[in-house]
Amino acid sequence: MEKVLYIANWKSNKSKSEGTLFFEELGRLIGSIDLSRQEIIIAPPFTFISDARKIVDQQKLPIKLSGQNVSSYPSGAYTGEINAGQLREYAEYVIIGHSERRKYLHESDSDIENKIREAQEVGLKVIQCVQDEKSLVHRGAQIIAYEPPSAIGSGNPDDPEHVEEVFRILKKQNPEITLIYGGSVSSDNIDSYKSIEGMGGFLIGGASLNANSFVSLLS
Ligand code: PGA
């Protein structure tokens, strides 16, 4: 049985000292959690990902790391971009196509396709975000995060019955892919999603910024 994924998407949050403190607290809390069927994945900003890698390796923490984005180009003259090979030195996963990137950075389906291709070439596991059951799922995505934009950061999560329905449709079209849900997941509502048929995990924004509140989401 595959582990249920708990992916902390920190977005553009946390300084180096705040990130370090989070890992100290998470390291302390993690000892009392049964991780045999749960996987913790942290997606910090790029400015902290090398420190995070060091902490995880030195303390042998059972935590995987993810990028929040990756360049659609290979290495070369692309000022400001972080390419898949660079990210792979630190992370096992990458989030691609988050709706905030579509909205604020005008990311297109073809950008997403190129990013997934780059990520795949270096062995990063791809978490592709989709907004609904009609969204294009690109070849190479191993995990689909269903995140309705109205649910993100709003305190208005999607109804569990609707998530189940969307999962059913996505699963039919992509039988091999792990499905996860994201959008205002909190300790108050997560239990109503855990029992959904085929629930592979969660992409968590706001509730992942504090180690205590993040850990309270796990079973
Ligand atoms: P939220 O963010 O949990 O703050 O709604 C989820 C996400 O955007 O990945």
Side-chain angles (χ1 to χ4, degrees):
M1 192 173 158
E2 281 190 54
K3 290 186 175 186
V4 177
L5 309 176
Y6 292 82
I7 307 169
N9 178 12
W10 285 2
K11 309 191 179 185
S12 190
N13 288 294
K14 291 200 189 294
S15 63
K16 180 178 161 130
S17 60
E18 288 166 343
T20 307
L21 190 64
F22 177 98
F23 271 86
E24 269 169 31
E25 288 171 353
L26 184 60
R28 261 199 303 276
L29 294 165
I30 228 170
S32 55
I33 298 167
D34 178 8
L35 291 173
S36 59
R37 292 164 77 176
Q38 311 186 90
E39 187 88 86
I40 294 179
I41 302 168
I42 310 287
F46 284 134
T47 47
F48 186 67
I49 201 159
S50 104
D51 289 270
R53 179 81 268 155
K54 240 180 262 166
I55 295 169
V56 167
D57 289 348
Q58 280 169 1
Q59 299 180 24
K60 298 192 174 43
L61 297 175
I63 295 171
K64 300 276 198 299
L65 296 177
S66 174
Q68 299 174 14
N69 177 40
V70 72
S71 177
S72 52
Y73 297 99
S75 65
Y78 304 100
T79 301
E81 290 295 280
I82 291 172
N83 68 59
Q86 292 171 323
L87 178 59
R88 185 69 188 93
E89 294 186 296
Y90 302 103
E92 294 91 352
Y93 291 82
V94 61
I95 299 167
I96 293 179
H98 193 283
S99 63
E100 285 158 6
R101 297 199 58 82
R102 285 185 182 269
K103 181 174 167 191
Y104 298 114
L105 297 139
H106 313 294
E107 225 170 62
S108 67
D109 282 339
S110 94
D111 295 328
I112 292 168
E113 188 180 322
N114 291 332
K115 287 175 185 217
I116 293 179
R117 192 198 53 240
E118 289 297 317
Q120 234 193 331
E121 267 175 26
V122 298
L124 282 164
K125 288 190 190 137
V126 172
I127 304 156
Q128 190 203 328
C129 299
V130 302
Q131 310 189 3
D132 56 40
E133 70 281 9
K134 293 189 219 65
S135 304
L136 185 61
V137 175
H138 294 273
R139 202 143 46 89
Q142 281 125 313
I143 298 155
I144 300 174
Y146 164 52
E147 293 208 315
S150 63
I152 295 174
S154 63
N156 284 317
D158 202 4
D159 287 335
E161 295 74 32
H162 187 245
V163 174
E164 195 154 24
E165 179 59 24
V166 171
F167 272 26
R168 231 193 319 269
I169 297 165
L170 289 171
K171 194 78 193 172
K172 212 180 277 172
Q173 294 156 353
N174 311 278
E176 306 298 326
I177 295 187
T178 300
L179 296 172
I180 68 174
Y181 170 72
S184 294
V185 171
S186 72
S187 53
D188 292 336
N189 59 39
I190 196 163
D191 284 345
S192 58
Y193 298 99
K194 284 184 180 173
S195 54
I196 289 175
E197 168 85 23
M199 177 54 78
F202 301 92
L203 185 54
I204 304 143
S208 77
L209 293 173
N210 172 283
N212 272 297
S213 86
F214 180 56
V215 162
S216 75
L217 303 175
L218 284 93
S219 298

PDB file of all heavy atoms in Angstrom, residues 91-124:
ATOM      1  N   ALA A  91      16.303  17.912  -3.900  1.00  0.00           N
ATOM      2  CA  ALA A  91      14.903  17.484  -3.724  1.00  0.00           C
ATOM      3  C   ALA A  91      14.591  16.209  -4.486  1.00  0.00           C
ATOM      4  O   ALA A  91      15.231  15.896  -5.491  1.00  0.00           O
ATOM      5  CB  ALA A  91      13.970  18.595  -4.194  1.00  0.00           C
ATOM      6  N   GLU A  92      13.578  15.498  -3.992  1.00  0.00           N
ATOM      7  CA  GLU A  92      13.088  14.291  -4.669  1.00  0.00           C
ATOM      8  C   GLU A  92      11.848  14.586  -5.505  1.00  0.00           C
ATOM      9  O   GLU A  92      11.512  13.833  -6.409  1.00  0.00           O
ATOM     10  CB  GLU A  92      12.706  13.218  -3.630  1.00  0.00           C
ATOM     11  CG  GLU A  92      13.873  12.669  -2.822  1.00  0.00           C
ATOM     12  CD  GLU A  92      14.112  13.446  -1.524  1.00  0.00           C
ATOM     13  OE1 GLU A  92      13.469  14.504  -1.316  1.00  0.00           O
ATOM     14  OE2 GLU A  92      14.949  12.999  -0.730  1.00  0.00           O
ATOM     15  N   TYR A  93      11.134  15.657  -5.137  1.00  0.00           N
ATOM     16  CA  TYR A  93       9.853  15.981  -5.779  1.00  0.00           C
ATOM     17  C   TYR A  93       9.876  17.408  -6.321  1.00  0.00           C
ATOM     18  O   TYR A  93      10.718  18.215  -5.921  1.00  0.00           O
ATOM     19  CB  TYR A  93       8.708  15.908  -4.751  1.00  0.00           C
ATOM     20  CG  TYR A  93       8.388  14.531  -4.260  1.00  0.00           C
ATOM     21  CD1 TYR A  93       9.123  13.933  -3.242  1.00  0.00           C
ATOM     22  CD2 TYR A  93       7.308  13.825  -4.787  1.00  0.00           C
ATOM     23  CE1 TYR A  93       8.809  12.658  -2.765  1.00  0.00           C
ATOM     24  CE2 TYR A  93       6.984  12.557  -4.324  1.00  0.00           C
ATOM     25  CZ  TYR A  93       7.730  11.979  -3.311  1.00  0.00           C
ATOM     26  OH  TYR A  93       7.413  10.734  -2.859  1.00  0.00           O
ATOM     27  N   VAL A  94       8.899  17.703  -7.183  1.00  0.00           N
ATOM     28  CA  VAL A  94       8.694  19.107  -7.581  1.00  0.00           C
ATOM     29  C   VAL A  94       7.206  19.332  -7.860  1.00  0.00           C
ATOM     30  O   VAL A  94       6.540  18.472  -8.445  1.00  0.00           O
ATOM     31  CB  VAL A  94       9.567  19.504  -8.801  1.00  0.00           C
ATOM     32  CG1 VAL A  94       9.245  18.669 -10.042  1.00  0.00           C
ATOM     33  CG2 VAL A  94       9.417  20.989  -9.114  1.00  0.00           C
ATOM     34  N   ILE A  95       6.706  20.464  -7.374  1.00  0.00           N
ATOM     35  CA  ILE A  95       5.323  20.878  -7.648  1.00  0.00           C
ATOM     36  C   ILE A  95       5.342  21.681  -8.953  1.00  0.00           C
ATOM     37  O   ILE A  95       6.151  22.608  -9.099  1.00  0.00           O
ATOM     38  CB  ILE A  95       4.778  21.774  -6.506  1.00  0.00           C
ATOM     39  CG1 ILE A  95       4.771  21.018  -5.176  1.00  0.00           C
ATOM     40  CG2 ILE A  95       3.379  22.305  -6.853  1.00  0.00           C
ATOM     41  CD1 ILE A  95       4.541  21.924  -3.956  1.00  0.00           C
ATOM     42  N   ILE A  96       4.477  21.314  -9.878  1.00  0.00           N
ATOM     43  CA  ILE A  96       4.449  22.021 -11.166  1.00  0.00           C
ATOM     44  C   ILE A  96       3.007  22.438 -11.488  1.00  0.00           C
ATOM     45  O   ILE A  96       2.068  21.659 -11.292  1.00  0.00           O
ATOM     46  CB  ILE A  96       5.046  21.141 -12.294  1.00  0.00           C
ATOM     47  CG1 ILE A  96       6.552  20.934 -12.038  1.00  0.00           C
ATOM     48  CG2 ILE A  96       4.814  21.769 -13.678  1.00  0.00           C
ATOM     49  CD1 ILE A  96       7.270  20.069 -13.053  1.00  0.00           C
ATOM     50  N   GLY A  97       2.866  23.686 -11.955  1.00  0.00           N
ATOM     51  CA  GLY A  97       1.571  24.148 -12.441  1.00  0.00           C
ATOM     52  C   GLY A  97       0.609  24.609 -11.357  1.00  0.00           C
ATOM     53  O   GLY A  97      -0.616  24.561 -11.558  1.00  0.00           O
ATOM     54  N   HIS A  98       1.147  25.069 -10.224  1.00  0.00           N
ATOM     55  CA  HIS A  98       0.258  25.579  -9.176  1.00  0.00           C
ATOM     56  C   HIS A  98      -0.564  26.748  -9.734  1.00  0.00           C
ATOM     57  O   HIS A  98      -0.039  27.563 -10.496  1.00  0.00           O
ATOM     58  CB  HIS A  98       1.080  26.030  -7.966  1.00  0.00           C
ATOM     59  CG  HIS A  98       0.238  26.266  -6.753  1.00  0.00           C
ATOM     60  ND1 HIS A  98      -0.523  27.397  -6.603  1.00  0.00           N
ATOM     61  CD2 HIS A  98       0.017  25.513  -5.650  1.00  0.00           C
ATOM     62  CE1 HIS A  98      -1.174  27.328  -5.448  1.00  0.00           C
ATOM     63  NE2 HIS A  98      -0.870  26.201  -4.851  1.00  0.00           N
ATOM     64  N   SER A  99      -1.823  26.843  -9.328  1.00  0.00           N
ATOM     65  CA  SER A  99      -2.691  27.876  -9.925  1.00  0.00           C
ATOM     66  C   SER A  99      -2.215  29.293  -9.600  1.00  0.00           C
ATOM     67  O   SER A  99      -2.516  30.228 -10.349  1.00  0.00           O
ATOM     68  CB  SER A  99      -4.148  27.678  -9.523  1.00  0.00           C
ATOM     69  OG  SER A  99      -4.279  27.823  -8.149  1.00  0.00           O
ATOM     70  N   GLU A 100      -1.470  29.469  -8.495  1.00  0.00           N
ATOM     71  CA  GLU A 100      -0.911  30.808  -8.222  1.00  0.00           C
ATOM     72  C   GLU A 100       0.125  31.188  -9.283  1.00  0.00           C
ATOM     73  O   GLU A 100       0.256  32.353  -9.645  1.00  0.00           O
ATOM     74  CB  GLU A 100      -0.296  30.843  -6.816  1.00  0.00           C
ATOM     75  CG  GLU A 100      -1.384  30.892  -5.747  1.00  0.00           C
ATOM     76  CD  GLU A 100      -0.943  30.405  -4.385  1.00  0.00           C
ATOM     77  OE1 GLU A 100       0.254  30.109  -4.192  1.00  0.00           O
ATOM     78  OE2 GLU A 100      -1.825  30.306  -3.505  1.00  0.00           O
ATOM     79  N   ARG A 101       0.846  30.207  -9.783  1.00  0.00           N
ATOM     80  CA  ARG A 101       1.828  30.494 -10.842  1.00  0.00           C
ATOM     81  C   ARG A 101       1.115  30.779 -12.167  1.00  0.00           C
ATOM     82  O   ARG A 101       1.558  31.604 -12.951  1.00  0.00           O
ATOM     83  CB  ARG A 101       2.818  29.334 -10.993  1.00  0.00           C
ATOM     84  CG  ARG A 101       3.672  29.099  -9.748  1.00  0.00           C
ATOM     85  CD  ARG A 101       4.903  28.306 -10.061  1.00  0.00           C
ATOM     86  NE  ARG A 101       5.713  28.970 -11.065  1.00  0.00           N
ATOM     87  CZ  ARG A 101       6.567  29.965 -10.799  1.00  0.00           C
ATOM     88  NH1 ARG A 101       6.768  30.379  -9.572  1.00  0.00           N
ATOM     89  NH2 ARG A 101       7.260  30.515 -11.783  1.00  0.00           N
ATOM     90  N   ARG A 102       0.009  30.087 -12.407  1.00  0.00           N
ATOM     91  CA  ARG A 102      -0.774  30.399 -13.614  1.00  0.00           C
ATOM     92  C   ARG A 102      -1.318  31.818 -13.514  1.00  0.00           C
ATOM     93  O   ARG A 102      -1.281  32.575 -14.476  1.00  0.00           O
ATOM     94  CB  ARG A 102      -1.958  29.430 -13.731  1.00  0.00           C
ATOM     95  CG  ARG A 102      -1.581  28.037 -14.175  1.00  0.00           C
ATOM     96  CD  ARG A 102      -2.875  27.269 -14.360  1.00  0.00           C
ATOM     97  NE  ARG A 102      -2.671  25.899 -14.751  1.00  0.00           N
ATOM     98  CZ  ARG A 102      -2.620  25.483 -16.009  1.00  0.00           C
ATOM     99  NH1 ARG A 102      -2.724  26.317 -17.009  1.00  0.00           N
ATOM    100  NH2 ARG A 102      -2.456  24.199 -16.265  1.00  0.00           N
ATOM    101  N   LYS A 103      -1.837  32.158 -12.325  1.00  0.00           N
ATOM    102  CA  LYS A 103      -2.511  33.439 -12.154  1.00  0.00           C
ATOM    103  C   LYS A 103      -1.527  34.618 -12.150  1.00  0.00           C
ATOM    104  O   LYS A 103      -1.725  35.595 -12.852  1.00  0.00           O
ATOM    105  CB  LYS A 103      -3.283  33.398 -10.829  1.00  0.00           C
ATOM    106  CG  LYS A 103      -4.063  34.634 -10.515  1.00  0.00           C
ATOM    107  CD  LYS A 103      -4.897  34.409  -9.260  1.00  0.00           C
ATOM    108  CE  LYS A 103      -5.445  35.722  -8.723  1.00  0.00           C
ATOM    109  NZ  LYS A 103      -6.024  35.574  -7.391  1.00  0.00           N
ATOM    110  N   TYR A 104      -0.481  34.515 -11.326  1.00  0.00           N
ATOM    111  CA  TYR A 104       0.394  35.678 -11.156  1.00  0.00           C
ATOM    112  C   TYR A 104       1.577  35.691 -12.127  1.00  0.00           C
ATOM    113  O   TYR A 104       2.149  36.730 -12.397  1.00  0.00           O
ATOM    114  CB  TYR A 104       0.942  35.724  -9.721  1.00  0.00           C
ATOM    115  CG  TYR A 104      -0.142  35.872  -8.690  1.00  0.00           C
ATOM    116  CD1 TYR A 104      -0.398  34.845  -7.782  1.00  0.00           C
ATOM    117  CD2 TYR A 104      -0.925  37.027  -8.625  1.00  0.00           C
ATOM    118  CE1 TYR A 104      -1.401  34.965  -6.835  1.00  0.00           C
ATOM    119  CE2 TYR A 104      -1.932  37.159  -7.685  1.00  0.00           C
ATOM    120  CZ  TYR A 104      -2.171  36.126  -6.785  1.00  0.00           C
ATOM    121  OH  TYR A 104      -3.165  36.250  -5.865  1.00  0.00           O
ATOM    122  N   LEU A 105       1.982  34.520 -12.608  1.00  0.00           N
ATOM    123  CA  LEU A 105       3.164  34.454 -13.476  1.00  0.00           C
ATOM    124  C   LEU A 105       2.818  33.960 -14.877  1.00  0.00           C
ATOM    125  O   LEU A 105       3.707  33.693 -15.675  1.00  0.00           O
ATOM    126  CB  LEU A 105       4.238  33.586 -12.809  1.00  0.00           C
ATOM    127  CG  LEU A 105       4.667  34.253 -11.497  1.00  0.00           C
ATOM    128  CD1 LEU A 105       4.850  33.260 -10.385  1.00  0.00           C
ATOM    129  CD2 LEU A 105       5.894  35.096 -11.690  1.00  0.00           C
ATOM    130  N   HIS A 106       1.506  33.839 -15.119  1.00  0.00           N
ATOM    131  CA  HIS A 106       1.002  33.531 -16.469  1.00  0.00           C
ATOM    132  C   HIS A 106       1.593  32.248 -17.045  1.00  0.00           C
ATOM    133  O   HIS A 106       1.908  32.170 -18.222  1.00  0.00           O
ATOM    134  CB  HIS A 106       1.248  34.722 -17.407  1.00  0.00           C
ATOM    135  CG  HIS A 106       0.834  36.021 -16.768  1.00  0.00           C
ATOM    136  ND1 HIS A 106      -0.484  36.301 -16.477  1.00  0.00           N
ATOM    137  CD2 HIS A 106       1.558  37.057 -16.305  1.00  0.00           C
ATOM    138  CE1 HIS A 106      -0.559  37.478 -15.873  1.00  0.00           C
ATOM    139  NE2 HIS A 106       0.665  37.959 -15.756  1.00  0.00           N
ATOM    140  N   GLU A 107       1.740  31.264 -16.191  1.00  0.00           N
ATOM    141  CA  GLU A 107       2.252  29.982 -16.660  1.00  0.00           C
ATOM    142  C   GLU A 107       1.199  29.292 -17.538  1.00  0.00           C
ATOM    143  O   GLU A 107       0.023  29.261 -17.180  1.00  0.00           O
ATOM    144  CB  GLU A 107       2.542  29.099 -15.441  1.00  0.00           C
ATOM    145  CG  GLU A 107       3.858  28.402 -15.524  1.00  0.00           C
ATOM    146  CD  GLU A 107       4.225  27.731 -14.225  1.00  0.00           C
ATOM    147  OE1 GLU A 107       3.495  26.831 -13.776  1.00  0.00           O
ATOM    148  OE2 GLU A 107       5.272  28.093 -13.661  1.00  0.00           O
ATOM    149  N   SER A 108       1.647  28.748 -18.653  1.00  0.00           N
ATOM    150  CA  SER A 108       0.712  28.125 -19.605  1.00  0.00           C
ATOM    151  C   SER A 108       0.863  26.608 -19.596  1.00  0.00           C
ATOM    152  O   SER A 108       1.804  26.070 -19.014  1.00  0.00           O
ATOM    153  CB  SER A 108       1.030  28.623 -21.021  1.00  0.00           C
ATOM    154  OG  SER A 108       2.299  28.116 -21.410  1.00  0.00           O
ATOM    155  N   ASP A 109      -0.064  25.934 -20.294  1.00  0.00           N
ATOM    156  CA  ASP A 109       0.036  24.475 -20.411  1.00  0.00           C
ATOM    157  C   ASP A 109       1.351  24.065 -21.062  1.00  0.00           C
ATOM    158  O   ASP A 109       1.942  23.052 -20.696  1.00  0.00           O
ATOM    159  CB  ASP A 109      -1.135  23.927 -21.239  1.00  0.00           C
ATOM    160  CG  ASP A 109      -2.419  23.856 -20.424  1.00  0.00           C
ATOM    161  OD1 ASP A 109      -2.337  23.842 -19.185  1.00  0.00           O
ATOM    162  OD2 ASP A 109      -3.502  23.825 -21.033  1.00  0.00           O
ATOM    163  N   SER A 110       1.817  24.845 -22.029  1.00  0.00           N
ATOM    164  CA  SER A 110       3.070  24.440 -22.691  1.00  0.00           C
ATOM    165  C   SER A 110       4.265  24.665 -21.762  1.00  0.00           C
ATOM    166  O   SER A 110       5.212  23.869 -21.765  1.00  0.00           O
ATOM    167  CB  SER A 110       3.221  25.100 -24.063  1.00  0.00           C
ATOM    168  OG  SER A 110       3.955  26.273 -23.986  1.00  0.00           O
ATOM    169  N   ASP A 111       4.242  25.709 -20.927  1.00  0.00           N
ATOM    170  CA  ASP A 111       5.304  25.861 -19.910  1.00  0.00           C
ATOM    171  C   ASP A 111       5.312  24.636 -18.996  1.00  0.00           C
ATOM    172  O   ASP A 111       6.361  24.081 -18.669  1.00  0.00           O
ATOM    173  CB  ASP A 111       5.050  27.087 -19.004  1.00  0.00           C
ATOM    174  CG  ASP A 111       5.123  28.395 -19.765  1.00  0.00           C
ATOM    175  OD1 ASP A 111       5.893  28.482 -20.721  1.00  0.00           O
ATOM    176  OD2 ASP A 111       4.388  29.336 -19.382  1.00  0.00           O
ATOM    177  N   ILE A 112       4.107  24.242 -18.586  1.00  0.00           N
ATOM    178  CA  ILE A 112       3.989  23.116 -17.643  1.00  0.00           C
ATOM    179  C   ILE A 112       4.505  21.830 -18.285  1.00  0.00           C
ATOM    180  O   ILE A 112       5.237  21.057 -17.660  1.00  0.00           O
ATOM    181  CB  ILE A 112       2.524  22.995 -17.167  1.00  0.00           C
ATOM    182  CG1 ILE A 112       2.193  24.222 -16.297  1.00  0.00           C
ATOM    183  CG2 ILE A 112       2.280  21.700 -16.406  1.00  0.00           C
ATOM    184  CD1 ILE A 112       0.733  24.408 -15.974  1.00  0.00           C
ATOM    185  N   GLU A 113       4.149  21.644 -19.538  1.00  0.00           N
ATOM    186  CA  GLU A 113       4.623  20.455 -20.254  1.00  0.00           C
ATOM    187  C   GLU A 113       6.163  20.428 -20.292  1.00  0.00           C
ATOM    188  O   GLU A 113       6.785  19.396 -20.042  1.00  0.00           O
ATOM    189  CB  GLU A 113       4.056  20.486 -21.674  1.00  0.00           C
ATOM    190  CG  GLU A 113       4.321  19.226 -22.449  1.00  0.00           C
ATOM    191  CD  GLU A 113       3.723  19.320 -23.839  1.00  0.00           C
ATOM    192  OE1 GLU A 113       2.609  19.885 -23.984  1.00  0.00           O
ATOM    193  OE2 GLU A 113       4.359  18.833 -24.783  1.00  0.00           O
ATOM    194  N   ASN A 114       6.767  21.583 -20.585  1.00  0.00           N
ATOM    195  CA  ASN A 114       8.232  21.642 -20.646  1.00  0.00           C
ATOM    196  C   ASN A 114       8.868  21.421 -19.268  1.00  0.00           C
ATOM    197  O   ASN A 114       9.890  20.752 -19.146  1.00  0.00           O
ATOM    198  CB  ASN A 114       8.684  22.990 -21.217  1.00  0.00           C
ATOM    199  CG  ASN A 114       8.335  23.127 -22.681  1.00  0.00           C
ATOM    200  OD1 ASN A 114       8.250  22.125 -23.403  1.00  0.00           O
ATOM    201  ND2 ASN A 114       8.098  24.341 -23.137  1.00  0.00           N
ATOM    202  N   LYS A 115       8.265  21.960 -18.250  1.00  0.00           N
ATOM    203  CA  LYS A 115       8.784  21.785 -16.888  1.00  0.00           C
ATOM    204  C   LYS A 115       8.741  20.307 -16.494  1.00  0.00           C
ATOM    205  O   LYS A 115       9.685  19.780 -15.901  1.00  0.00           O
ATOM    206  CB  LYS A 115       7.966  22.620 -15.890  1.00  0.00           C
ATOM    207  CG  LYS A 115       8.259  24.098 -16.006  1.00  0.00           C
ATOM    208  CD  LYS A 115       7.369  24.945 -15.118  1.00  0.00           C
ATOM    209  CE  LYS A 115       7.667  26.413 -15.428  1.00  0.00           C
ATOM    210  NZ  LYS A 115       7.637  27.276 -14.277  1.00  0.00           N
ATOM    211  N   ILE A 116       7.619  19.659 -16.830  1.00  0.00           N
ATOM    212  CA  ILE A 116       7.487  18.245 -16.480  1.00  0.00           C
ATOM    213  C   ILE A 116       8.536  17.419 -17.229  1.00  0.00           C
ATOM    214  O   ILE A 116       9.166  16.533 -16.657  1.00  0.00           O
ATOM    215  CB  ILE A 116       6.049  17.735 -16.760  1.00  0.00           C
ATOM    216  CG1 ILE A 116       5.077  18.421 -15.789  1.00  0.00           C
ATOM    217  CG2 ILE A 116       5.973  16.213 -16.632  1.00  0.00           C
ATOM    218  CD1 ILE A 116       3.619  18.038 -15.945  1.00  0.00           C
ATOM    219  N   ARG A 117       8.753  17.754 -18.485  1.00  0.00           N
ATOM    220  CA  ARG A 117       9.770  17.019 -19.250  1.00  0.00           C
ATOM    221  C   ARG A 117      11.155  17.191 -18.614  1.00  0.00           C
ATOM    222  O   ARG A 117      11.894  16.229 -18.413  1.00  0.00           O
ATOM    223  CB  ARG A 117       9.776  17.509 -20.700  1.00  0.00           C
ATOM    224  CG  ARG A 117      10.589  16.619 -21.642  1.00  0.00           C
ATOM    225  CD  ARG A 117      10.944  17.327 -22.938  1.00  0.00           C
ATOM    226  NE  ARG A 117      11.595  18.597 -22.666  1.00  0.00           N
ATOM    227  CZ  ARG A 117      11.131  19.797 -23.053  1.00  0.00           C
ATOM    228  NH1 ARG A 117      10.017  19.895 -23.737  1.00  0.00           N
ATOM    229  NH2 ARG A 117      11.779  20.903 -22.749  1.00  0.00           N
ATOM    230  N   GLU A 118      11.503  18.419 -18.263  1.00  0.00           N
ATOM    231  CA  GLU A 118      12.799  18.685 -17.630  1.00  0.00           C
ATOM    232  C   GLU A 118      12.921  17.924 -16.303  1.00  0.00           C
ATOM    233  O   GLU A 118      13.961  17.329 -16.011  1.00  0.00           O
ATOM    234  CB  GLU A 118      12.970  20.195 -17.373  1.00  0.00           C
ATOM    235  CG  GLU A 118      13.169  21.030 -18.620  1.00  0.00           C
ATOM    236  CD  GLU A 118      14.443  20.690 -19.370  1.00  0.00           C
ATOM    237  OE1 GLU A 118      15.481  20.505 -18.723  1.00  0.00           O
ATOM    238  OE2 GLU A 118      14.381  20.593 -20.606  1.00  0.00           O
ATOM    239  N   ALA A 119      11.862  17.955 -15.516  1.00  0.00           N
ATOM    240  CA  ALA A 119      11.887  17.310 -14.195  1.00  0.00           C
ATOM    241  C   ALA A 119      12.048  15.799 -14.332  1.00  0.00           C
ATOM    242  O   ALA A 119      12.823  15.162 -13.605  1.00  0.00           O
ATOM    243  CB  ALA A 119      10.597  17.639 -13.438  1.00  0.00           C
ATOM    244  N   GLN A 120      11.322  15.262 -15.288  1.00  0.00           N
ATOM    245  CA  GLN A 120      11.341  13.816 -15.507  1.00  0.00           C
ATOM    246  C   GLN A 120      12.731  13.327 -15.902  1.00  0.00           C
ATOM    247  O   GLN A 120      13.173  12.257 -15.488  1.00  0.00           O
ATOM    248  CB  GLN A 120      10.378  13.518 -16.649  1.00  0.00           C
ATOM    249  CG  GLN A 120       9.348  12.510 -16.326  1.00  0.00           C
ATOM    250  CD  GLN A 120       8.660  12.049 -17.583  1.00  0.00           C
ATOM    251  OE1 GLN A 120       8.554  12.801 -18.562  1.00  0.00           O
ATOM    252  NE2 GLN A 120       8.205  10.828 -17.570  1.00  0.00           N
ATOM    253  N   GLU A 121      13.403  14.127 -16.722  1.00  0.00           N
ATOM    254  CA  GLU A 121      14.724  13.726 -17.230  1.00  0.00           C
ATOM    255  C   GLU A 121      15.739  13.509 -16.121  1.00  0.00           C
ATOM    256  O   GLU A 121      16.666  12.734 -16.257  1.00  0.00           O
ATOM    257  CB  GLU A 121      15.255  14.789 -18.203  1.00  0.00           C
ATOM    258  CG  GLU A 121      14.899  14.463 -19.630  1.00  0.00           C
ATOM    259  CD  GLU A 121      15.305  15.550 -20.610  1.00  0.00           C
ATOM    260  OE1 GLU A 121      16.260  16.298 -20.312  1.00  0.00           O
ATOM    261  OE2 GLU A 121      14.653  15.639 -21.659  1.00  0.00           O
ATOM    262  N   VAL A 122      15.567  14.223 -15.000  1.00  0.00           N
ATOM    263  CA  VAL A 122      16.536  14.075 -13.906  1.00  0.00           C
ATOM    264  C   VAL A 122      15.981  13.234 -12.758  1.00  0.00           C
ATOM    265  O   VAL A 122      16.608  13.121 -11.710  1.00  0.00           O
ATOM    266  CB  VAL A 122      17.002  15.455 -13.371  1.00  0.00           C
ATOM    267  CG1 VAL A 122      17.705  16.250 -14.460  1.00  0.00           C
ATOM    268  CG2 VAL A 122      15.846  16.242 -12.787  1.00  0.00           C
ATOM    269  N   GLY A 123      14.793  12.669 -12.959  1.00  0.00           N
ATOM    270  CA  GLY A 123      14.249  11.770 -11.945  1.00  0.00           C
ATOM    271  C   GLY A 123      13.526  12.448 -10.794  1.00  0.00           C
ATOM    272  O   GLY A 123      13.331  11.834  -9.741  1.00  0.00           O
ATOM    273  N   LEU A 124      13.133  13.708 -10.987  1.00  0.00           N
ATOM    274  CA  LEU A 124      12.274  14.335  -9.966  1.00  0.00           C
ATOM    275  C   LEU A 124      10.865  13.774 -10.103  1.00  0.00           C
ATOM    276  O   LEU A 124      10.371  13.609 -11.229  1.00  0.00           O
ATOM    277  CB  LEU A 124      12.221  15.859 -10.180  1.00  0.00           C
ATOM    278  CG  LEU A 124      13.417  16.673  -9.714  1.00  0.00           C
ATOM    279  CD1 LEU A 124      13.374  18.070 -10.343  1.00  0.00           C
ATOM    280  CD2 LEU A 124      13.472  16.777  -8.194  1.00  0.00           C
TER     281      LEU A 124
END
